[in-house]
Amino acid sequence: MNPRQVADYMFGQDYFSQWMNIKMIEVRENYCLIEMPIKKEMINGLKTVHGGVTFAFADSALAFSSNNTGDAAVALNCIINFTKAGKEGDVFRAESILVNDTRKTAVYDIKITNQNNELIAKFVGTVYKIGKKVTEL
């Protein structure tokens, strides 16, 4: 399977990403660009996007980019910095780029922006390669 096919395979089983209405814009080896509309159910008590939603969106980008070679990887450590509050009606984009790759781990930089290309959050995710194929899980 090519990277897009692997990401599509994973997405088909990822009911949480489906609930978030994630749309894959671009997928290539160790990279992805995804989009998500912000809906009412994602808003917190301060009328901004819940931080957990932003984190989960970045985590989905990490998953689709770090697994799309077909070799399974799981999150080992993730750090997020929130830079701007999102609002209902926004459209978030997450771009995940591989920055370091070793035999057992890899590090990805993920930038989340809104429809105006304003930075919403910066996320760094480290994954552990578990030694199995995505299709074996």
Side-chain angles (χ1 to χ4, degrees):
M1 288 194 286
N2 68 36
R4 179 60 186 243
Q5 290 169 323
V6 174
D8 286 343
Y9 172 84
M10 289 178 62
F11 185 78
Q13 304 176 103
D14 185 344
Y15 301 110
F16 190 72
S17 290
Q18 291 174 34
W19 174 82
M20 290 193 297
N21 291 323
I22 288 176
K23 180 169 136 188
M24 285 195 229
I25 306 300
E26 183 179 353
V27 178
R28 57 181 189 267
E29 190 170 318
N30 297 308
Y31 171 91
C32 80
L33 176 66
I34 60 176
E35 192 173 87
M36 174 184 74
I38 299 303
K39 52 188 179 180
K40 182 177 75 170
E41 295 84 4
M42 298 173 169
I43 301 302
N44 65 23
L46 299 177
K47 298 181 184 172
T48 61
V49 177
H50 192 287
V53 169
T54 305
F55 188 99
F57 181 53
D59 187 49
S60 288
L62 177 65
F64 296 133
S65 59
S66 67
N67 285 281
N68 71 28
T69 62
D71 296 317
V74 295
L76 187 61
N77 184 54
C78 300
I79 299 168
I80 192 166
N81 288 296
F82 300 101
T83 56
K84 182 176 178 62
K87 305 279 188 194
E88 183 179 353
D90 281 351
V91 177
F92 282 7
R93 278 193 162 205
E95 182 178 42
S96 180
I97 299 170
L98 175 68
V99 294
N100 188 56
D101 194 19
T102 70
R103 185 174 58 82
K104 292 303 285 180
T105 64
V107 178
Y108 289 80
D109 275 347
I110 298 165
K111 182 174 74 169
I112 299 175
T113 56
N114 65 12
Q115 68 278 2
N116 300 318
N117 206 31
E118 297 168 315
L119 185 66
I120 297 296
K122 183 71 168 42
F123 180 102
V124 178
T126 301
V127 296
Y128 177 75
K129 301 171 188 177
I130 64 172
K132 294 184 179 181
K133 296 292 184 187
V134 168
T135 54
E136 294 173 350
L137 302 173

